[in-house]
Amino acid sequence: MNTPSILNNADPVEKYLHVPHDQRWDLLKATIIRIFMEEDTKIARLAQRMKEEYGFDAQVPHYRYRFKKWGIKKRITTEEKGAVITALGKRSRSHTTSTSNATIDQGGFAKNVNQKNLKRYINQSIRQGQSWNWTPGLFLRYDLPYTALVRSLSAHNYPSPSAASPATPSYLTLNSPEEVISPSAAQNNPSPTMQLVQKKILLDRARLFLEGREYDLMAQMSRDERRSTATWLHDLWMYSFMTAKYWGRGPKTWTISLINFKSFAGEHALSTLGQGTYAEYTHESLSPQEGNISLEGPTQLCRWSIHCKPPDYDSIPSSPVVNDGSEEQFDVDDESTWKEWTGNDCPRDVSSTIEQGLRDNVFTTIQAESLPFDAGPVINAVQKSPEELTADALGFAIMSRNVKVIFDIFGSYDDDFPESFSNIFPFHLAAAFLDGSKVCCGVMEALVNCLHESNSIALNYTDNLGHTVLDTLFITILRSHSTISPHVISDAFDGRSSFPGQDVDPCGRWDADSPCIRKLHALGKATIPVQWKHMFCHTAVQAICHCISVIYMGPSRPNINTPSGLFVKRCSNCGLSLQVGPLHALVLTAFYLAQEGMPRENLFGMVACLVCLLTFRADPCSRSDISIPALLGHELTDECQHASMNSAELASKLPCGSWSPEIKMGWSALIVILQHDIAKRQDHVPTPNDKNEGLDHIYPRDTDNDKYFNDEHVSTTGCRHLVHASEFEDQMILYCGNLRLGRIWAAIQAELLTYRRLSESDHWLSPEFKMSDLLRGLQENDDRYILQLFSGAGSSQNRLMAHSYCGLFGGRHPGCVIREEACAFYYSNLDDWKRTTFIEACEWEL
């Protein structure tokens, strides 16, 4: 074989002609890569040159195999292009980085990023990503400003917005050019490719936001970018919340100056960038002195709402109100000076006002063009998604408890509601943002009565976290009246220190736009201070019980015995999921209220919730597999410790700590009520109806209704209240509580309707309602003590109106009666009108 002449003139050492062929691959690797990559030679030509110039004879497939093994390729993969864009995006937009400074390591060869290919890829991806959709409920999430948001998240499951961005891949290197001092130097200006990279980054971030991937979005940003993004989003949340809350009166457009003046009580606002220094403190909470904010806690005294019948009178036309809409006509900080809007004052609705505010950016001091994501596609997506925007407006109306706005939104759809409404889980929002001081159960009633079919509560009873609406009510109890951590209640809250809805107090002492809450969050505090809380009070208890009544008496009521999504554990030995029932969840809620509740807690509220649920057919006989050691956090891993138990058995086995006598009495009452109802249910045998058919057998419509609320007329086969008329199943009368339980429920309702603590020295229970009488009557099986709840100690006068076997009174809504329907005469102490809101009584829909 004749060797080419070029080899005769070459240095044999450089060509490694004396080395076996297979070993020459590694020795010639640098030369092969140089010719292939730097000289941009095709593989066929490379093979020919290596044969001619180096005497190395290999076929094209052999080169492809070696390149794959070495990690050498001319084209940059989509993943690598994305990594380049992300890495460049983490550099400040004022930095002078150019794409020519980005190199990718390929088998030891540093390949410069080809700007033309990168530009082609970016332009193509931008064109392909012209369709923008957004997730309903997107704007409802950002209720915390940046510093409070940082402190509300831990590194356990949720990536903190203050955490460092993901590391740049090891194969990618960015070499920043040396800083040029001259301000006019061209090197300081981003290259055209870099400008396109920045555009791509901003668009990608906008897409992440619209898809609801906020943690992925934050992971791509620097700390300053996260801060400005979180602040802008929270400013938008506050604007939307206050727009919905005050809709129909006062300011028509809540600008940032009005928002801050109202919600910070006229003090210097530290909630937005450029107005304070709070954002510099991302890990340590500030004291009021450090933040220069005077933080004064709310009162310990509740407010309350009173249901009443609307007055019966002929309306007289009012004189026209002259109102040019100028802000000078009222004091923003004094709502009593606000005027109701007249018919043509505001042609827009809440959703279009939120959209207009988003377009005009009136709610913040942060300019849209300075945001680290492209706000344009966000605004365009909102404009092109009116149903999703209306769903968010509905969410803000629910969170701000503006029932009129809720009805206005429903009225615009004529009962044909979009499915996007269910995507925001409206019933769970109403349970989380419960307000017993202004609307009580009014928001829940509006939702239950108006949302039907696919949007009904029956089909939307469980949310994306696995929580039922009843679970959310239990969460509201614990978050407002105990020191329990979120992760103890549900794994869905793992890594969080704050609860949904915590900025609204169920008894009306603070709201999301209250100065004390806004100042608290401005100081970087994400949780409600313990000293602000108090025990499970009558205002909150009544709101919870009324919501339970509205939910389980509604036309599309869910299954009350649906398993709970709270306190779910898994056996570490056999892997069995240990899911509790609703009454088990109530027992555990009461247990943690006893363990970690506020001073003077007596568990009256949990007794009230239990009796209310039993009245509406919650089943205490239902059993679940439960591991008490797992619930208490000291489960063994090498054996199963779970057992099947009903709610009474669970309550009896839970350890009572060093509880106060009042808590022990309430806990004993809870257990005895469960045991009593279980015994009654086990003794009950459904009986076929007599010869009378139809609803009249339960509640004769042509008879004096009152006589069917007296004991001597109570049917031995079931309750004769109309509530149960729709519950015929195979002509069998269903179990409906028992007379003793009904009497207790009637007395509890009267207590809630007539008593509040007027001063901090007052008792939490009225003198007429003694838990000791309730407990003794059940333990000794003696109704004389139960009946003392009707008259009070030392009196023989019955204070209550006639009621049914199961403790329901007659009225517009048997589950949410007014005082006049439950009490035989006036003995209420709710006469402090400054703390009272009168609301229209609920209307029951059979």
Side-chain angles (χ1 to χ4, degrees), residues 237-247 251 254 258-260 262-263 338 396 400 513 518:
W237 189 95
M238 188 58 62
Y239 164 79
S240 303
F241 178 88
M242 296 180 70
T243 295
K245 178 179 178 179
Y246 300 113
W247 186 260
W254 284 93
L258 287 176
I259 291 172
N260 285 337
K262 169 66 175 171
S263 60
W338 296 9
F396 281 109
S400 62
D513 64 333
R518 296 223 63 196

Side-chain angles (χ1 to χ4, degrees), residues 210-228:
L210 289 171
E211 292 174 353
R213 297 164 58 188
E214 58 263 37
Y215 294 109
D216 292 336
L217 171 64
M218 294 293 184
Q220 295 188 5
M221 296 182 176
S222 66
R223 278 187 172 84
D224 287 341
E225 289 176 332
R226 293 169 186 146
R227 185 180 297 120
S228 62

Side-chain angles (χ1 to χ4, degrees), residues 576-590:
L576 179 67
S577 177
L578 307 176
Q579 188 173 15
V580 302
L583 291 184
H584 298 90
L586 180 140
V587 167
L588 291 168
T589 300

Side-chain angles (χ1 to χ4, degrees), residues 170-181:
S170 58
Y171 60 78
L172 179 60
T173 302
L174 295 181
N175 297 309
S176 299
E178 295 183 1
E179 183 178 0
V180 180
I181 299 177

Side-chain angles (χ1 to χ4, degrees), residues 683-696:
D683 291 341
H684 174 77
V685 178
T687 306
N689 295 336
D690 57 21
K691 294 181 180 180
N692 294 324
E693 296 181 356
L695 303 183
D696 290 346

Side-chain angles (χ1 to χ4, degrees), residues 771-789:
M771 289 285 284
S772 56
D773 287 340
L774 185 154
L775 180 59
R776 188 173 181 182
L778 289 169
Q779 289 177 330
E780 299 182 10
N781 199 28
D782 191 340
D783 282 340
R784 290 178 301 172
Y785 296 102
I786 302 296
L787 292 175
Q788 286 186 12
L789 301 175

Side-chain angles (χ1 to χ4, degrees), residues 317-365:
S318 302
S319 302
V321 178
V322 179
N323 184 2
D324 61 7
S326 63
E327 295 174 6
E328 290 75 13
Q329 290 189 338
F330 53 81
D331 181 356
V332 174
D333 202 35
D334 183 2
E335 294 182 34
S336 65
T337 66
W338 296 9
K339 296 180 180 179
E340 298 286 338
W341 299 349
T342 57
N344 297 323
D345 274 351
C346 189
R348 301 192 303 268
D349 56 17
V350 172
S351 59
S352 60
T353 301
I354 294 174
E355 178 189 335
Q356 183 67 40
L358 185 62
R359 287 201 307 267
D360 297 342
N361 207 48
V362 298
F363 53 85
T364 184
T365 59

Side-chain angles (χ1 to χ4, degrees), residues 81 85 99 113-127 191-197 200:
K81 293 173 185 176
I85 293 172
T99 53
V113 175
N114 186 289
Q115 295 192 33
K116 290 184 178 180
N117 291 340
L118 189 62
K119 288 174 65 176
R120 188 182 305 113
Y121 167 76
I122 294 174
N123 284 321
Q124 182 180 4
S125 61
I126 291 175
R127 287 193 301 270
S191 67
T193 304
M194 188 58 193
Q195 294 178 28
L196 195 59
V197 167
K200 165 71 172 169

